[in-house]
Amino acid sequence: HREPPPGTEAYIPQRFPDNRIVSSKYTFWNFVPKNLFEQFRRIANFYFLIIFLVQLIIDTPTSPVTSGLPLLFVITVTAIKQGYEDWLRHKADNAMNQCPVHFIQHGKLVRKQSRKLRVGDIVMVKEDETFPCDLIFLSSSRGDGTCFVTTASLDGESSHKTYYAVQDTKAFHNEQEIDALHATIECEQPQPDLYKFVGRINVYHDRNEPTARPLGSENLLLRGATLKNTEKIFGVAIYTGMETKMALNYQAKSQKRSAVEKSMNVFLIVYLCILISKALINTVLKYVWQSEPFRDEPWYNQKTEPERKRNLFLRAFTDFLAFMVLFNYIIPVSMYVTVEMQKFLGSYFLTWDEEMFDEDTGEGPLVNTSDLNEELGQIEYVFTDKTGTLTENNMEFVECCIEGHVYVPHVICNGQYIFKEELFFRALCLCHTVQVKDDDSVDGLKKNQLSRRSCIYISSSPDEVALVEGIQRYVLGYTYLRLKDNFMEILNRENNLEKFELLEVLSFDSVRRRMSVIVKSSTGDIFLFCKGADSSIFPRVKEGKIDQIRSRVERNAVEGLRTLCVAYKKLTAEEYSNAQKLLQNAKLALQDREKKLAEVYEKIERDFILLGATAVEDRLQEKAADTIEALQKAGIKVWVLTGDKMETAAATCYACKLFRRNTQILELTTKKIEEQSLHDVLFDLSKTVLRHNGSLTRDTFSGLSTDMQDYGLIIDGAALSLIMKPRQDGSSANYRELFLEICRNCSAVLCCRMAPLQKAQIVKLIKLSKEHPITLAIGDGANDVSMILEAHVGIIGKEGRQAARNSDYAIPKFKHLKKMLLVHGHFYYVRISELVQYFFYKNVCFIFPQFLYQFFCGFSQQTLYDTAYLTLYNISFTSLPILLYGLMEQHVSADTLKREPSLYRDVAKNALLRWRAFIYWTFLGVFDAVVFFFGAYFLFDNTVVTSNGQMFGNWTFGTLVFTVLVFTVTLKLALDTHYWTWINHFMIWGSLVFYIIFSLLWGGIIWPFLNYQRMYYVFMQMLSSGPAWLGIILLITVSLLPDVLKKVLCRQVFRGTARTPELKSLSFIPSHFTA
Amino acid sequence: ASPEETRELESDGTGVGTGTGTVSGSGAALGPSAAPLPPAPAWQPILTAGTVLPAFFIIGLIFIPIGIGIFVTSNNIREYEIDYTGTEPSSPCNKCLNVSWDSTPPCTCTINFTLEHSFESNVFMYYGLSNFYQNHRRYVKSRDDSQLNGDNSSLLNPSKECEPYRTNEDKPIAPCGAIANSMFNDTLELYRIDNDTRTPITLIKKGIAWWTDKNVKFRNPTGDGNNLTALFQGTTKPVNWPKPVYMLDSEPDNNGFINEDFIVWMRTAALPTFRKLYRLIERKDNLQPTLQAGKYSLDIAYNYPVHSFDGRKRMILSTISWMGGKNPFLGIAYITVGSICFFLGVVLLIIHHKYGNRNTSADIPN
């Protein structure tokens, strides 16, 4: 069955991969080189490697250990982490590759390891087994050639989906029969889209012409999915190993980078420039200073012969490199590790939050990427889906309107139905893709028949379930039973079984916004039932009480109900066979199948007779209004993006307080554009908005925006596409700018009638606008995935099984967004920004004295501190307190943040990492460094600092500076800490104690394997000197003084109008809570 | 309206619905049962007006007296300094200015001086050098600590760091390196001139180095017997030294590597202007000051050339208090910082009263 018979098209043997899945990155052999390569591709690691190599090659002031050891530590930790992850992947791969698979060889069932599977092999899969590769479904043990599959591991949807065997092969039920099958399959090259597949099977019966059958995604069983409710199936492998759709979907999503990371990189570059300029200044000064030979080479300090002979430029270059090495600690290795650990560990605080745990579903928040934690504190735009996100997505059938008469549940059931009504209910029972959940046994079906209410309907659309259930429950006449052998069985109100042959399903898509079925009744009449959005039905209706129904639909929409229109048409046998032919051709097409299908649908779905409309209510999620209000107070602009119609969506927006009563609504809809040109509408709107612009911005900052004039914009998909459409004359950019300008001045925007891709377009438009705001998209369905992927932070709410993997964060309910952004996001941001600033600060403090010392040691690159101190400063003496701060800090209590959403504005737009803050920290660092160095300098300058008259040397000098440094830097952090727990106390004081103990130990012994003993007893000698103690205390006090003063002054004087947002927030609270 | 919007992406296939359920599956979620609670808040040392204001006053109140104490102590310290470089033509040491290492006999000069005040307690005699970069990197590392610690293999095979002072005429130098090679070798002698009679003042040469240096860090090589000459066999003296290391002093416990002058020199100074302890002058009895006011003369065996690098040489006599030698900086700094704190405390208090009345505290409600 693998080779085609002679005479078919030229067959080019193709190399197919075997069925091995390789998700691991490394093998045992290439782990070390490949992992190192990967790691050194990071700029920072590469920089440290270069520094390390320079230290190895040239004669540098510090030993290679000082940078080698931290680098080794970082690299090892990362390698262990990645190695462990890869080991897990290997294990998973092996388990998957070695699991046994039944497949058929020469008519017999053989058990083999999964990895030995090849394309073309026929595989047998039993119930509850997962498919070993992508299979074309040939036959199943179920007579109708269907099987049920759950794709929970692929897209997270746990419902059972029905797949269909190829018509011509579904009769083969055992190994021998299936082995006799002779067929070729043509299919597209492997593609990652799980829901698309186009192929063709040619089945050869003896010597006859082959029969060609189209293959679609309904015939393709995907690797990773599990067979359910079906005893066994046979399938032929078409994509194996790394070509399966599952494997193709493994590809990582594009990396999202946070604003903090970007700032951090900018600061790094600034520091790199500082570093280089420092090294350059020192090199130049060194050669100026050395120009007098007695300075370059005094009699007491001669150079070696090779040194003397070295070329001047080479010497200068070496000196430059040596200075670089000396000052390289200004860019700390450990910062990257700390930031990564902070993010990774910090994300657990989100998942552990009990308040965000949802009792109903038993789920808490999920963090899929910890890289973006701090972005949650920077959100400026929230794009939210309506259905299922703002609303419960728990539909309830409210009413239906047939021929202009309104029927409310419980009332409908009495009286006789006229023909149209009967047809309407039948239409609702037939025109859907609802499945009846059938629990293992055949008894289930019987039970259904006996007691109508026990059946469970499953559908991808909750509306359909609501409709079918509503009809069953309230109309008491029509119950959809099941689909059997292409016959839809319904019970009518006389409890008689009616059978309709299901001829075609013109399935739903978001462009058409409708679906149709073609059924043949037992009397032989062929009907086409269509159900869809009013906008897509009305234009296709040729008769019916359009006006009455339309007005009803519009009324319902205003009340926030979801409406659907139902229409039908009767087909003659001829019309049907035409339609069938067209459909068959389109389905068989290998290329552009969708496009062709759409054309055919367009031809078939016309000239309807309107039956009526339905209304379904979708309740708001709990606290949705409260959440939206809080987000708006926090200065976040909330946009609702929905596929719903304008009136429904607007009603929801009012209900959830996105629009308030005093909100002036601006409309940018197709209707308006029809009246005026797009150009005029846009300019009018912008004029309206900008008139109040001045007062608006001022009020926004006062934090009390409730009583100002605010605007809400409503735009629909068609208008949006007009705005987005690129024009030849280039004026589209103009429209876009204008549109953005309007949006910027609106507190709330509602985009209705949006296609999924348009949602992503909107997000992209805002994201790339000139302020580069940080966006968050929240949605629960597959149609929100594109927008979630596009936004900076994606969140998936309740029903997000399908795309939960695509989101960065998942929360159970919309109301949790409030805490996630206002509390966790705020904290994450404050923590990481302090962490980054503090890291730079402490390294300026660390290295700047070193720089100053060069002026006093003849620019000879002499280090101020001992090697051990240079190495351990960032690794151990000052690392843990800041990490803990990064995890635990709560500058304001969580409750306060929740109560006062306006505090969120304080950190908006990366406020704590602006240049102002950065320069403040840097200058603080420089100031402290100057205090340390010159304090020690004046203390030591040509005088005695011991009470026994003995003198201290350069190492004592350095140790004194270092001691002051460690204490100052740690105490500075203690001053910044607002949330103290015993761990904070332990870490901060523990670090200082550790430093002292280490120094005592380091200087306490003649270390046997070191070739220098310069630190021997230096620390003890220093501590035995009174002036050194006094000096240390004095210098610590002086270095901390300005920061303390600044904090107190800001709090006292600039109360309310604080320059520094962090402090504003501190001062802001009392005014609210002492009142 | 379109109720089907939630399934827009998936239902594009043909055939009857590829329906996906509204029945919710259970996603992977971390239950709260395993959630460790964040630790409870502990003692909170947080900056508030309530804590900072008293802190400023307390710092002020503590620092000012300490500063005054240090300042007074520092002022009570007697210190006398003579520059004997001899750059001025009038200086008695001018003739020795361009002395070289190997001039024999050494150039000597005598400088007379008068102490206005008597030095009551023990007097410490220092030599001071200026413009001498003992902290130059090439210089600092030019030593071999294992050799100085008495390691026999390093004695004969000194570290490469000692280059170019590692070997001389194919013999290892002991002690090797630039530091040792440039050891200060002026001899200073102090006389009291009383009615034209020169009474030598006893200068004690022990106790000038750190105890740990002398007893642990620096050790003579070990071997058979205590004969240093034999122990240092196979090595040669540093180039600039007139005598080998085992002839630095006549006393065996102050000879070789454990010679205190040598140890003092080996502790490299932090700054280019530095002083090093040279000798101690102990107070003999309680009735007389150590050095009475009056005339003294300093005899110098001028061996150490500093003129070539614009250096200066000084001799310093100083008494020492509990806080070391004369150092006005610390006292003044303490007084200044204390006053600033006090002043700031007052200013803040005013501000606090002026602005703080609206809200009595700036505490964070935690």
Side-chain angles (χ1 to χ4, degrees):
Chain A
H1 50 264
R2 222 170 296 176
E3 301 84 19
T8 53
E9 302 126 62
Y11 176 75
I12 303 148
Q14 216 180 340
R15 275 174 55 93
F16 295 112
D18 61 10
N19 197 33
R20 234 178 350 199
I21 280 281
V22 186
S23 62
S24 55
K25 264 171 149 173
Y26 311 106
T27 65
F28 183 74
W29 303 109
N30 72 10
F31 177 73
V32 173
K34 197 172 171 189
N35 185 263
L36 285 184
F37 176 72
E38 291 277 317
Q39 290 206 40
F40 285 123
R41 274 193 353 190
R42 287 185 70 171
I43 292 286
N45 283 349
F46 187 69
Y47 161 81
F48 295 117
L49 181 71
I50 293 291
I51 292 287
F52 176 66
L53 291 180
V54 167
Q55 278 179 312
L56 280 183
I57 293 161
I58 66 162
D59 170 46
T60 54
T62 56
S63 92
V65 177
T66 55
S67 63
L69 201 66
L71 184 65
L72 189 75
F73 175 73
V74 169
I75 297 284
T76 318
V77 167
T78 319
I80 288 173
K81 183 176 154 246
Q82 292 180 350
Y84 176 70
E85 284 170 0
D86 207 55
W87 180 69
L88 290 182
R89 279 194 289 264
H90 266 288
K91 250 176 55 173
D93 285 355
N94 281 343
M96 204 172 254
N97 289 334
Q98 282 169 4
C99 74
V101 169
H102 299 278
F103 68 101
I104 289 151
Q105 240 172 7
H106 310 297
K108 280 192 204 107
L109 205 60
V110 188
R111 251 170 92 101
K112 269 196 188 178
Q113 284 187 348
S114 158
R115 63 195 164 100
K116 294 192 175 135
L117 209 62
R118 294 287 181 280
V119 169
D121 287 346
I122 290 185
V123 181
M124 189 190 87
V125 181
K126 291 184 186 159
E127 185 170 355
D128 290 332
E129 282 181 349
T130 53
F131 301 114
C133 62
D134 291 353
L135 300 170
I136 288 292
F137 185 15
L138 294 179
S139 70
S140 102
S141 61
R142 290 167 74 102
D144 55 358
T146 59
C147 72
F148 294 103
V149 164
T150 162
T151 51
S153 60
L154 279 174
D155 55 16
E157 295 190 30
S158 56
S159 62
H160 295 188
K161 294 182 186 170
T162 317
Y163 284 80
Y164 299 89
V166 178
Q167 282 292 322
D168 310 71
T169 59
K170 70 178 180 187
F172 300 112
H173 283 304
N174 60 41
E175 294 83 16
Q176 286 79 24
E177 283 169 19
I178 208 101
D179 201 48
L181 173 67
H182 203 68
T184 57
I185 292 173
E186 289 168 57
C187 60
E188 55 188 358
Q189 286 298 311
Q191 274 182 11
D193 191 331
L194 290 180
Y195 308 104
K196 267 186 198 156
F197 173 71
V198 192
R200 185 159 57 190
I201 186 165
N202 296 311
V203 184
Y204 300 90
H205 301 289
D206 306 322
R207 288 286 155 204
N208 298 340
E209 271 296 290
T211 36
R213 288 279 167 183
L215 296 175
S217 56
E218 71 278 3
N219 305 116
L220 185 70
L221 302 170
L222 298 177
R223 175 174 195 154
T226 312
L227 186 66
K228 292 284 180 190
N229 279 1
T230 312
E231 194 189 327
K232 62 178 183 182
I233 61 112
F234 291 102
V236 56
I238 57 161
Y239 299 132
T240 52
M242 297 312 285
E243 288 187 347
T244 56
K245 289 189 182 277
M246 184 179 76
L248 291 171
N249 272 293
Y250 267 144
Q251 277 141 9
K253 297 171 283 178
S254 68
Q255 190 103 33
K256 293 178 187 173
R257 293 187 152 246
S258 77
V260 168
E261 211 176 324
K262 279 176 204 153
S263 312
M264 200 166 98
N265 285 340
V266 172
F267 295 162
L268 269 183
I269 290 168
V270 172
Y271 272 99
L272 198 66
C273 294
I274 293 177
L275 171 66
I276 290 171
S277 53
K278 266 186 179 175
L280 268 179
I281 290 170
N282 267 336
T283 315
V284 170
L285 284 178
K286 177 180 173 127
Y287 282 87
V288 171
W289 186 80
Q290 277 184 357
S291 55
E292 301 221 34
F294 71 78
R295 289 210 179 119
D296 184 23
E297 227 186 329
W299 61 262
Y300 57 83
N301 192 8
Q302 300 280 307
K303 290 179 185 170
T304 55
E305 265 320 294
E307 263 179 295
R308 241 175 248 158
K309 278 180 195 148
R310 205 176 290 162
N311 175 298
L312 177 71
F313 291 104
L314 193 66
R315 229 161 43 194
F317 183 66
T318 332
D319 275 322
F320 172 74
L321 286 182
F323 279 118
M324 288 279 286
V325 168
L326 186 64
F327 302 139
N328 85 81
Y329 304 93
I330 203 165
I331 296 174
V333 199
S334 52
M335 184 164 77
Y336 287 91
V337 190
T338 314
V339 165
E340 223 142 86
M341 298 237 292
Q342 189 265 351
K343 285 184 173 181
F344 175 71
L345 296 176
S347 61
Y348 281 103
F349 284 82
L350 189 68
T351 43
W352 287 339
D353 192 330
E354 280 186 44
E355 276 183 44
M356 290 172 70
F357 186 81
D358 189 46
E359 296 292 339
D360 302 341
T361 52
E363 282 178 62
L366 278 182
V367 180
N368 289 337
T369 165
S370 56
D371 287 346
L372 298 170
N373 286 347
E374 68 275 7
E375 270 329 56
L376 295 177
Q378 293 291 296
I379 304 295
E380 287 165 71
Y381 286 86
V382 166
F383 299 95
T384 166
D385 174 44
K386 189 177 79 71
T387 315
T389 310
L390 281 178
T391 60
E392 287 273 10
N393 203 11
N394 196 358
M395 307 296 167
E396 206 133 302
F397 179 74
V398 177
E399 62 161 53
C400 56
C401 162
I402 307 165
E403 288 282 279
H405 305 288
V406 178
Y407 296 79
V408 184
H410 308 293
V411 185
I412 323 170
C413 43
N414 48 25
Q416 290 289 315
Y417 299 135
I418 52 164
F419 169 71
K420 278 277 176 72
E421 285 166 349
E422 299 247 353
L423 206 58
F424 178 80
F425 292 130
R426 281 199 189 103
L428 286 183
C429 278
L430 295 172
C431 181
H432 55 72
T433 54
V434 170
Q435 271 176 269
V436 178
K437 187 165 183 187
D438 115 59
D439 283 323
D440 322 280
S441 54
V442 195
D443 305 340
L445 282 174
K446 292 221 175 92
K447 236 184 265 167
N448 269 342
Q449 272 170 330
L450 296 174
S451 57
R452 324 181 135 184
R453 289 168 196 239
S454 67
C455 58
I456 303 161
Y457 296 115
I458 303 171
S459 166
S460 56
S461 158
D463 298 70
E464 288 194 335
V465 176
L467 285 176
V468 174
E469 249 171 13
I471 296 290
Q472 181 206 353
R473 199 168 299 168
Y474 303 123
V475 180
L476 281 179
Y478 291 88
T479 307
Y480 172 61
L481 285 180
R482 59 175 172 163
L483 176 74
K484 194 188 174 192
D485 300 327
N486 255 344
F487 280 95
M488 287 178 119
E489 298 173 0
I490 57 173
L491 278 179
N492 65 11
R493 63 191 176 98
E494 277 94 32
N495 236 349
N496 295 330
L497 195 72
E498 289 182 20
K499 276 192 172 187
F500 289 88
E501 191 187 354
L502 182 63
L503 298 172
E504 296 287 345
V505 174
L506 284 63
S507 55
F508 178 82
D509 68 59
S510 52
V511 182
R512 275 162 56 233
R513 313 177 61 79
R514 62 179 181 267
M515 71 161 291
S516 309
V517 288
I518 301 177
V519 291
K520 191 175 178 185
S521 72
S522 45
T523 54
D525 295 329
I526 299 171
F527 288 103
L528 186 148
F529 292 115
C530 182
K531 172 180 84 172
D534 52 349
S535 62
S536 61
I537 298 282
F538 286 138
R540 291 180 170 71
V541 170
K542 66 169 189 206
E543 61 169 287
K545 297 188 172 162
I546 299 176
D547 291 335
Q548 281 135 309
I549 291 173
R550 192 198 293 270
S551 70
R552 189 70 202 170
V553 164
E554 274 167 11
R555 229 201 76 181
N556 284 340
V558 170
E559 279 172 11
L561 301 176
R562 297 160 68 92
T563 56
L564 273 182
C565 290
V566 181
Y568 85 105
K569 84 175 182 188
K570 212 167 172 180
L571 296 175
T572 60
E574 258 163 88
E575 279 171 331
Y576 169 64
S577 64
N578 276 341
Q580 195 204 17
K581 216 174 282 163
L582 285 172
L583 280 171
Q584 191 66 15
N585 282 341
K587 279 183 195 167
L588 266 180
L590 271 182
Q591 270 145 13
D592 295 335
R593 185 188 281 183
E594 274 101 66
K595 210 177 126 197
K596 283 178 187 161
L597 270 177
E599 284 166 13
V600 174
Y601 289 161
E602 187 69 27
K603 266 184 219 163
I604 298 173
E605 291 170 328
R606 55 167 46 152
D607 304 330
F608 289 140
I609 302 160
L610 190 63
L611 277 171
T614 59
V616 168
E617 191 187 11
D618 189 5
R619 256 174 298 142
L620 276 187
Q621 283 218 359
E622 58 171 324
K623 288 186 181 168
D626 172 57
T627 307
I628 290 214
E629 209 175 358
L631 292 183
Q632 284 192 327
K633 268 193 197 151
I636 301 172
K637 289 187 176 156
V638 182
W639 290 36
V640 173
L641 310 183
T642 177
D644 245 347
K645 60 180 295 172
M646 192 183 114
E647 289 78 11
T648 319
T652 315
C653 286
Y654 276 109
C656 64
K657 291 190 184 164
L658 184 69
F659 295 152
R660 289 190 205 84
R661 213 169 296 148
N662 57 355
T663 308
Q664 190 180 337
I665 301 292
L666 311 171
E667 279 183 33
L668 188 55
T669 52
T670 332
K671 213 158 88 189
K672 253 196 143 177
I673 290 169
E674 277 164 9
E675 291 160 14
Q676 291 168 285
S677 73
L678 174 66
H679 186 85
D680 294 343
V681 176
L682 274 176
F683 272 93
D684 277 358
L685 290 181
S686 70
K687 242 181 268 167
T688 325
V689 167
L690 292 177
R691 203 167 47 223
H692 288 275
N693 191 17
S695 59
L696 186 95
T697 40
R698 222 178 308 124
D699 287 348
T700 315
F701 282 107
S702 73
L704 302 158
S705 51
T706 38
D707 45 31
M708 63 159 192
Q709 177 68 56
D710 52 10
Y711 293 98
L713 179 73
I714 300 178
I715 181 167
D716 64 6
L720 183 77
S721 58
L722 270 180
I723 291 167
M724 301 292 288
K725 201 160 69 185
R727 302 258 172 120
Q728 255 101 39
D729 55 2
S731 60
S732 71
N734 221 352
Y735 284 161
R736 245 181 247 194
E737 277 309 304
L738 212 58
F739 173 63
L740 280 176
E741 190 63 42
I742 296 167
C743 291
R744 230 172 267 144
N745 290 307
C746 288
S747 55
V749 177
L750 165 65
C751 306
C752 41
R753 301 279 189 211
M754 297 298 241
L757 223 57
Q758 272 186 317
K759 292 186 175 185
Q761 252 181 343
I762 281 258
V763 174
K764 198 170 181 179
L765 180 76
I766 296 297
K767 199 175 82 177
L768 297 180
S769 70
K770 63 175 184 282
E771 296 99 343
H772 294 286
I774 290 159
T775 55
L776 176 141
I778 175 164
D780 70 326
N783 57 348
D784 307 312
V785 172
S786 53
M787 114 179 145
I788 282 162
L789 285 178
E790 190 61 57
H792 287 94
V793 180
I795 295 182
I796 288 229
K798 182 178 151 204
E799 286 294 331
R801 320 287 163 222
Q802 160 144 32
R805 281 192 311 175
N806 292 311
S807 67
D808 300 311
Y809 299 89
I811 48 175
K813 286 263 170 72
F814 184 74
K815 63 173 178 179
H816 296 132
L817 191 64
K818 180 176 166 186
K819 190 167 188 202
M820 181 153 101
L821 297 188
L822 298 187
V823 179
H824 288 287
H826 196 142
F827 280 153
Y828 282 136
Y829 177 71
V830 168
R831 288 169 187 162
I832 193 109
S833 52
E834 167 94 5
L835 188 144
V836 169
Q837 299 277 29
Y838 177 79
F839 246 99
F840 284 117
Y841 158 80
K842 80 176 167 119
N843 282 288
V844 169
C845 287
F846 180 45
I847 284 310
F848 204 69
Q850 187 93 264
F851 171 72
L852 293 173
Y853 193 52
Q854 298 310 306
F855 291 83
F856 298 90
C857 71
F859 304 101
S860 61
Q861 302 121 20
Q862 173 58 33
T863 60
L864 188 55
Y865 319 113
D866 178 56
T867 309
Y869 289 157
L870 282 174
T871 316
L872 294 178
Y873 176 72
N874 273 318
I875 298 185
S876 59
F877 297 146
T878 60
S879 60
L880 287 178
I882 183 62
L883 176 63
L884 198 74
Y885 178 97
L887 292 175
M888 310 278 288
E889 173 65 355
Q890 298 183 9
H891 61 299
V892 189
S893 77
D895 284 341
T896 313
L897 283 180
K898 232 175 141 179
R899 253 179 319 196
E900 284 299 309
S902 53
L903 293 179
Y904 193 79
R905 291 164 190 251
D906 295 346
V907 293
K909 299 198 186 287
N910 212 359
L912 302 186
L913 289 175
R914 291 214 194 108
W915 285 109
R916 189 188 208 110
F918 173 70
I919 288 167
Y920 171 75
W921 277 92
T922 308
F923 271 97
L924 194 66
V926 171
F927 171 81
D928 286 356
V930 168
V931 168
F932 304 154
F933 182 78
F934 285 104
Y937 176 85
F938 286 117
L939 194 65
F940 271 67
D941 186 30
N942 197 28
T943 185
V944 186
V945 286
T946 55
S947 45
N948 61 5
Q950 292 168 356
M951 295 303 299
F952 285 157
N954 62 323
W955 298 116
T956 315
F957 181 76
T959 306
L960 184 96
V961 173
F962 192 77
T963 308
V964 177
L965 165 74
V966 170
F967 273 80
T968 306
V969 158
T970 310
L971 291 178
K972 156 87 177 133
L973 189 69
L975 288 178
D976 285 352
T977 306
H978 293 101
Y979 187 75
W980 284 86
T981 62
W982 66 267
I983 308 180
N984 290 79
H985 284 293
F986 178 76
M987 284 295 178
I988 288 190
W989 315 124
S991 287
L992 295 179
V993 170
F994 174 73
Y995 164 68
I996 292 168
I997 291 173
F998 174 83
S999 298
L1000 290 175
L1001 201 71
W1002 183 237
I1005 320 176
I1006 296 276
W1007 289 90
F1009 301 105
L1010 286 178
N1011 57 3
Y1012 58 83
Q1013 307 294 343
R1014 55 200 185 201
M1015 293 309 288
Y1016 185 65
Y1017 252 73
V1018 161
F1019 192 71
M1020 274 79 109
Q1021 282 283 348
M1022 186 185 79
L1023 291 189
S1024 70
S1025 138
W1029 279 90
L1030 289 172
I1032 288 170
I1033 292 167
L1034 176 80
L1035 296 182
I1036 293 172
T1037 315
V1038 173
S1039 350
L1040 291 176
L1041 202 57
D1043 197 50
V1044 172
L1045 195 65
K1046 181 212 143 202
K1047 282 194 165 73
V1048 174
L1049 278 182
C1050 283
R1051 213 167 289 168
Q1052 290 288 320
V1053 181
F1054 303 117
R1055 182 185 298 268
T1057 56
R1059 299 281 146 79
T1060 317
E1062 174 199 14
L1063 295 165
K1064 181 189 168 189
S1065 70
L1066 297 179
S1067 58
F1068 195 67
I1069 309 132
S1071 58
H1072 286 266
F1073 291 99
T1074 51
Chain B
S2 155
E4 282 105 331
E5 64 169 8
T6 50
R7 36 167 266 216
E8 277 158 351
L9 277 192
E10 46 202 67
S11 45
D12 56 348
T14 55
V16 191
T18 51
T20 57
T22 49
V23 181
S24 66
S26 59
L30 277 165
S33 53
L37 287 170
W43 174 62
Q44 319 258 315
I46 296 169
L47 289 180
T48 57
T51 54
V52 170
L53 275 181
F56 272 140
F57 284 117
I58 290 169
I59 290 174
L61 288 178
I62 294 176
F63 273 29
I64 294 174
I66 291 180
I68 292 170
I70 297 170
F71 192 70
V72 170
T73 319
S74 175
N75 274 356
N76 283 339
I77 286 169
R78 298 265 172 269
E79 193 173 279
Y80 189 83
E81 188 173 316
I82 304 169
D83 188 321
Y84 70 92
T85 325
T87 38
E88 303 83 24
S90 60
S91 166
C93 290
N94 188 249
K95 60 180 177 179
C96 303
L97 193 55
N98 290 314
V99 78
S100 75
W101 275 100
D102 40 10
S103 53
T104 42
C107 174
T108 56
C109 55
T110 304
I111 292 175
N112 293 319
F113 62 97
T114 311
L115 293 179
E116 306 279 336
H117 305 281
S118 62
F119 284 47
E120 297 288 338
S121 55
N122 287 346
V123 176
F124 296 78
M125 186 176 178
Y126 297 91
Y127 58 86
L129 293 174
S130 299
N131 219 2
F132 190 102
Y133 284 84
Q134 250 204 331
N135 58 5
H136 196 281
R137 178 159 74 95
R138 201 164 60 226
Y139 189 81
V140 170
K141 66 174 185 180
S142 186
R143 64 192 289 161
D144 184 344
D145 278 338
S146 0
Q147 191 191 43
L148 298 172
N149 196 29
D151 186 81
N152 281 337
S153 63
S154 301
L155 181 73
L156 297 174
N157 186 17
S159 155
K160 287 210 173 57
E161 303 282 1
C162 285
E163 290 289 359
Y165 304 97
R166 186 166 167 264
T167 54
N168 186 22
E169 292 161 349
D170 291 334
K171 275 185 168 177
I173 294 176
C176 75
I179 313 177
N181 187 57
S182 58
M183 184 177 150
F184 183 76
N185 62 350
D186 280 2
T187 315
L188 306 175
E189 280 165 357
L190 201 59
Y191 296 91
R192 176 170 160 74
I193 302 171
D194 211 7
N195 304 326
D196 289 341
T197 52
R198 279 160 56 99
T199 338
I201 290 168
T202 324
L203 302 175
I204 300 162
K205 58 188 172 188
K206 284 188 191 166
I208 55 174
W210 293 13
W211 189 92
T212 47
D213 280 5
K214 171 140 173 131
N215 292 288
V216 186
K217 193 172 162 184
F218 287 79
R219 276 191 197 138
N220 279 323
T222 47
D224 308 326
N226 288 324
N227 189 351
L228 281 181
T229 319
L231 290 173
F232 279 101
Q233 198 162 31
T235 64
T236 184
K237 69 175 179 69
V239 190
N240 288 353
W241 287 21
K243 295 175 288 189
V245 67
Y246 47 86
M247 287 166 72
L248 281 174
D249 200 282
S250 50
E251 291 175 47
D253 64 344
N254 195 26
N255 201 4
F257 289 153
I258 56 171
N259 178 275
E260 292 203 23
D261 283 321
F262 174 67
I263 295 172
V264 164
W265 181 255
M266 291 305 284
R267 182 156 294 280
T268 48
L271 299 164
T273 299
F274 59 89
R275 57 167 87 167
K276 284 186 185 288
L277 189 53
Y278 184 64
R279 292 292 181 261
L280 309 174
I281 306 167
E282 275 187 350
R283 184 171 183 174
K284 295 234 176 49
D285 55 71
N286 291 331
L287 297 173
Q288 274 193 320
T290 323
L291 292 178
Q292 283 169 306
K295 287 186 175 172
Y296 289 86
S297 84
L298 178 70
D299 276 19
I300 302 141
Y302 199 121
N303 295 318
Y304 204 72
V306 293
H307 188 56
S308 65
F309 55 86
D310 235 2
R312 309 285 280 180
K313 296 198 283 191
R314 291 160 298 144
M315 190 282 301
I316 302 118
L317 294 171
S318 171
T319 60
I320 294 289
S321 71
W322 59 271
M323 43 101 18
K326 206 178 188 69
N327 188 0
F329 165 74
L330 204 55
I332 293 171
Y334 260 93
I335 295 172
T336 318
V337 174
S339 317
I340 290 175
C341 281
F342 201 82
F343 172 73
L344 286 176
V346 173
V347 171
L348 285 180
L349 197 65
I350 295 168
I351 292 173
H352 186 61
H353 268 277
K354 212 170 159 188
Y355 291 88
N357 283 342
R358 281 176 309 193
N359 321 302
T360 42
S361 94
D363 291 357
I364 298 111
N366 252 318

